[in-house]
């Protein structure tokens, strides 16, 4: 009778099984431990803005709603990229399908587009608003604008993590 499984194959199989189970046990132990709130973000995480996003004013809500009712520009294609280039002062310098930009306070901005951004993705980076020059250093974060389906909330920071006005480029990808 032929021997189907060699002793070496059995040893390797049990070794792989043991390592898999041991690795899974270590991973489970690491993921079940609750981390303090200060450790849940990236290393060197900065504190959130004291009140989060600024409240949406009735005028801003009306502007966003009007932009949605006006509809996307003829050049808009579902699945395409829209963008905005915003100055440190909060002025919309240029863009595609972007309607307006507003500065709320140090490093807090809103950018409104003429189409729904629901289920979209946002990417921003610190970038000079002019067609030249190297931008200042800093960090940027983006989030959906609360109460505005066609808006994006952007926060900019200096290199130390303190809120600071910075020019930025924002890209929006919609499904």
């Amino acid at each position: 009778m032929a021997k189907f499984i060699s002793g070496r194959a059995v040893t390797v199989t049990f070794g792989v099984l043991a390592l898999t189970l041991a690795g899974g046990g270590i991973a489970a132990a690491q993921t079940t431990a609750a981390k303090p709130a200060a450790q849940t973000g990236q290393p060197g995480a900065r504190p959130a803005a004291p009140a989060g996003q600024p409240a949406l004013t009735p005028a801003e809500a009306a502007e966003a709603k009007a932009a949605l009712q006006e509809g996307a520009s003829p050049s808009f294609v579902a699945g395409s990229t829209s963008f905005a280039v915003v100055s440190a002062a909060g002025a919309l310098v240029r863009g595609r399908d972007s309607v307006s930009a507003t500065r709320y306070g140090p490093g807090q901005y809103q950018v409104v587009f003429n189409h729904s951004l629901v289920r979209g993705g946002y990417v921003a980076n610190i970038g000079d608003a002019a067609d030249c020059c190297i931008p200042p250093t800093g960090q940027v974060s983006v989030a959906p604008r609360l109460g505005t389906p066609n808006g994006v909330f952007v926060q900019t920071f200096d290199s130390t993590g303190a809120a600071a006005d910075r020019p930025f480029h924002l890209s929006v990808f919609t499904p």
Side-chain angles (χ1 to χ4, degrees):
M1 210 177 211
K3 186 176 180 184
F4 289 152
I5 301 175
S6 70
R8 188 175 194 181
V10 171
T11 304
V12 169
T13 302
F14 281 117
V16 168
L17 180 62
L19 288 173
T20 302
L21 292 175
I26 292 169
Q30 289 175 347
T31 57
T32 57
K35 292 182 179 180
Q39 294 180 1
T40 57
Q42 297 177 355
R46 56 189 167 269
Q53 293 186 17
L56 188 65
T57 66
E60 292 169 338
E63 177 190 20
K65 188 174 183 179
L68 276 177
Q69 289 175 346
E70 183 180 306
S73 65
S75 65
F76 176 73
V77 177
S80 67
T81 302
S82 300
F83 74 93
V85 176
V86 179
S87 72
L92 179 63
V93 177
R94 62 184 178 276
R96 179 176 185 187
D97 300 320
S98 49
V99 175
S100 67
T102 305
R103 179 186 172 273
Y104 287 107
Q108 294 186 331
Y109 304 89
Q110 166 186 285
V111 181
V112 175
F113 290 85
N114 62 6
H115 57 89
S116 176
L117 306 177
V118 176
R119 296 181 49 225
Y122 323 110
V123 178
N125 65 302
I126 302 296
D128 195 77
D131 288 332
C132 70
C133 311
I134 297 173
T137 60
Q139 304 165 25
V140 64
S141 63
V142 294
R145 179 66 169 119
L146 299 178
T148 309
N150 57 329
V152 178
F153 183 71
V154 179
Q155 288 184 299
T156 58
F157 305 89
D158 63 16
S159 294
T160 66
D165 293 336
R166 297 285 188 259
F168 61 90
H169 297 197
L170 171 66
S171 296
V172 177
F173 305 94
T174 53

